[in-house]
Amino acid sequence: MDEYLDAAIAEAALGLREGGIPIGSILVHDGRIIGRGHNRRVQQGSAILHGEMDALENAGRLPADVYARSTLYTTLSPCAMCSGAILLYGISRVVIGESVTFRGEEELLRGRGVSIDVVQDPRCIEMMERFIQEHPAIWNEDIGE
């Protein structure tokens, strides 16, 4: 198992326990977690606080070269907004827990030179499938349908 993906999954589970959408993210630089977060749209009444955005916010302001040498771990394929942030900050690698329940902008990221690894971790898939089944209105609101 990957300790960083495990940490992202733990963030997703925390978000679920808080009553939110179970998507977690971790930013790793030189083998150390420098930012962690989870989707807090529901908890904070936010339009933009996705897991990846929360992890970036919690990492704080960093020099461009730190982002360029960092890996972002996320339990779900990044949406257009989060992919834009990945590109804006020049994050060079993204590890995605799953893209079964939602396939985000993986091709955009690849096309812009970001290394993408999609794991299809059964824990991530099961957590999102259960959430979507139990909370379809929240899920549809989050993905804009």
Side-chain angles (χ1 to χ4, degrees):
M1 291 291 170
D2 185 316
E3 68 180 292
Y4 303 122
L5 184 57
D6 290 347
I9 292 169
E11 284 290 328
L14 175 59
L16 186 62
R17 286 193 305 275
E18 293 173 353
I21 302 162
I23 303 167
S25 189
I26 301 293
L27 186 64
V28 177
H29 175 72
D30 287 342
R32 187 173 63 85
I33 295 173
I34 59 172
R36 60 177 64 233
H38 52 276
N39 187 303
R40 294 191 301 139
R41 266 189 352 90
V42 173
Q43 300 92 310
Q44 298 293 320
S46 171
I48 62 169
L49 207 47
H50 287 191
E52 298 91 337
M53 303 299 276
D54 194 37
L56 288 168
E57 176 70 15
N58 291 329
R61 287 182 60 197
L62 300 168
D65 68 315
V66 171
Y67 292 114
R69 294 189 335 265
S70 293
T71 298
L72 184 76
Y73 288 77
T74 181
T75 59
L76 185 66
S77 186
C79 72
M81 177 181 65
C82 295
S83 294
I86 290 164
L87 294 174
L88 177 67
Y89 290 102
I91 296 168
S92 58
R93 180 171 178 245
V94 178
V95 177
I96 298 168
E98 68 106 344
S99 63
V100 172
T101 60
F102 175 77
R103 182 168 175 137
E105 302 296 329
E106 296 167 28
E107 293 311 312
L108 170 67
L109 293 170
R110 279 190 186 100
R112 296 282 296 273
V114 178
S115 172
I116 302 291
D117 297 315
V118 183
V119 178
Q120 304 300 21
D121 187 288
R123 298 169 296 171
C124 297
I125 297 168
E126 191 275 330
M127 192 174 349
M128 283 309 306
E129 285 179 340
R130 182 182 312 139
F131 180 83
I132 292 166
Q133 181 179 5
E134 293 175 0
H135 305 281
I138 294 173
W139 172 248
N140 289 330
E141 174 189 309
D142 194 48
I143 62 170
E145 291 186 2

